[in-house]
Amino acid sequence: MSGAGRKDLDRRPLVGGGRRGAGLRRGGTRGCADPAAGAPRAGRTAVVSRAVRALVVLPLLASLLAACGGGGSGPPTVHWYNFPDDSGALAEAADRCSRASGGRYRVEYHKLPRTADGQRQQLVRRLAARDDAIDVMGLDVTWAAEFAEAGWILPWTGARRERAEQGTLRVPLETATWKGRLYAVPYNTNTQLLWYRADLVDRPPRTWDEMIAAARRLAEQGRPHYVEVQGAQYEGLTVWFNTLVASAGGAILTPDADAPALGAPAVRAAGIMRELARSVAADPSLPNQMEDQNRLAMESGRAAFELNYPFVYPSMRANNPELFRHFRWAPYPRVDADLPARPTIGGIDLAVGAFSRHPDLAFEAALCLRNRENQITAAVRGGLPPTLRDLYTDEEFVKSYPFADAILQALEQASVRPKTPAYQNVSIVIAHTLSPPSAIRPREDVRTIREQIQDALASKGLIP
């Protein structure tokens, strides 16, 4: 799935009563992965929390890391921090690569928090403390620029870069590149398709206008008609906007990422979001919906269409076999009938920590963890699309991943989120301004977004 893998599913919403000025609810850290999580964070103690952390938390961090497996005899341990995977694919990849090393190292998989914000928060805290126990880490596709600028991850150079890029899809590689240097190797990618019910529509709509019109006709007939899409005030709302802007021929930032672009395509994108939210096609809970709520609405039989990631396919098969018989996929709807849609890419890139005690082994392990066999396992078990091009034409793989061709086409046309170290702030600006979608004022809100992005890029009002 965001992104996260499955990153977008795991974004928590921004909370607060109004359209603007709400705070960001961030997930906590837990377990051995973040012994600093208990440091003071609220009230008057927040003022001195950073100083306290420097004096007290760092020694505690070192001792707890040792207790969590940092020492002992045997081959070196390559510590791999990644999103929490319930399918078992990541744990299996760690075991495979440990065996494949021939005893030179073993890979230990550590689960980060479930929310993408929590994942980033934990990694940022530990890397800022120059934690040498982080060898390989799974980065959300929006983090490479920030982590590279901070000096927290090592670049892939020479033969390593050649191996990382060989056979890898172009757009996923773009998410791992900053200022011409490769800072990570794509582990998995992700993009949305249009999922629909073939018992309700004869053919899938090609454009947003067609889809909203089809929903109106179904509503008039008293049949399921909702269009499920991510409308909550969180990263998914930014992704929706970014996809529509790119599909309309525009961009959020200029090519050099030093100023907002936006313009007429952004106004059109905001208008589509508003139109859907005010139509009968909108699920009443649209302002609070994320990927998993979209999935559940579709599985319950309330919806006719769903914009979502491939994880919904195995989920529908398992949870509603009867409805699964009518569950189909199609390309993401276009803004313009004459221009292909450009759905926003998600996924996870594997980076090597700048303070790793075993950087050479970490680079080798990262390549193993994203090899052909492990990508197939992640795709079939967890629905996470591969980043290796030739898998999309592999007959055995396609049998288990029947929508592979549609995913490949989407990836070849895909857009990326704005590449900037200030991405977190850019995303929050967009999500604040466009929430709830039914209250969008296209021209005024795009103007607000442009002004606030300019401030974010100038480091004004940054959110830590």
Side-chain angles (χ1 to χ4, degrees), residues 19-20 267 270 274 433-434 439-452:
R19 277 167 49 78
R20 297 169 177 81
V267 174
R274 170 187 162 121
T433 307
L434 299 180
I440 288 174
R441 301 162 301 170
R443 293 188 181 279
E444 294 87 340
D445 286 349
V446 168
R447 186 182 307 116
T448 297
I449 291 171
R450 182 186 299 112
E451 293 169 353
Q452 293 188 5

Side-chain angles (χ1 to χ4, degrees), residues 83-241:
F83 64 87
D85 168 51
D86 298 324
S87 74
L90 271 66
E92 186 171 326
D95 290 342
R96 281 177 181 154
C97 292
S98 297
R99 294 192 300 270
S101 77
R104 291 181 302 107
Y105 64 84
R106 69 182 185 91
V107 178
E108 186 170 341
Y109 163 48
H110 302 274
K111 295 182 178 182
L112 290 168
R114 287 203 171 270
T115 68
D117 285 329
Q119 293 166 23
R120 175 181 169 274
Q121 184 181 66
Q122 183 178 124
L123 290 174
V124 165
R125 283 179 174 177
R126 296 181 60 177
L127 291 166
R130 303 177 70 86
D131 189 343
D132 63 3
I134 298 181
D135 299 306
V136 179
M137 68 195 91
L139 299 185
D140 181 287
V141 290
T142 65
W143 298 345
E146 176 190 6
F147 282 44
E149 283 290 308
W152 293 335
I153 53 180
L154 297 176
W156 293 64
T157 59
R160 285 174 179 152
R161 178 166 184 166
E162 291 178 8
R163 290 180 63 192
E165 293 180 341
Q166 186 175 11
T168 303
L169 291 164
R170 176 189 60 82
V171 180
L173 277 173
E174 188 178 339
T175 69
T177 304
W178 176 243
K179 294 183 177 179
R181 306 186 78 184
L182 186 70
Y183 279 95
V185 58
Y187 169 68
N188 68 268
T189 186
N190 223 342
T191 189
Q192 293 189 335
L193 297 176
L194 168 63
W195 305 87
Y196 69 99
R197 286 178 52 175
D199 58 328
L200 296 176
V201 292
D202 295 331
R203 62 179 181 83
R206 292 182 70 247
T207 67
W208 281 86
D209 286 344
E210 288 182 13
M211 183 166 61
I212 294 173
R216 289 195 183 104
R217 288 194 297 271
L218 290 169
E220 290 169 358
Q221 299 167 12
R223 307 176 77 186
H225 59 276
Y226 292 144
V227 174
E228 300 296 332
V229 67
Q230 298 82 50
Q233 193 183 91
Y234 80 122
E235 175 70 6
L237 190 61
T238 300
V239 169
W240 184 15
F241 180 65

Side-chain angles (χ1 to χ4, degrees), residues 265-327:
V267 174
R268 188 167 185 195
I272 290 173
M273 297 171 76
R274 170 187 162 121
E275 181 184 2
L276 173 71
R278 293 189 169 195
S279 74
V280 295
D283 190 306
S285 60
L286 172 66
N288 299 307
Q289 283 202 319
M290 295 183 279
E291 289 85 352
D292 214 34
Q293 287 77 38
N294 300 147
R295 172 187 67 83
L296 293 170
M298 194 75 176
E299 290 177 1
S300 72
R302 302 199 318 266
F305 306 100
E306 174 183 15
L307 285 309
N308 218 329
Y309 298 91
F311 81 102
V312 302
Y313 183 82
S315 181
M316 178 68 83
R317 180 173 54 198
N319 296 335
N320 194 333
E322 180 63 26
L323 192 56
F324 178 73
R325 297 189 302 111
H326 308 291
F327 199 46

Side-chain angles (χ1 to χ4, degrees), residues 39-41 45-58 463-464:
R41 299 181 60 197
T45 58
V47 177
V48 297
S49 63
R50 292 181 181 176
V52 171
R53 187 181 306 278
L55 295 173
V56 178
V57 176
L58 295 184
I463 296 175

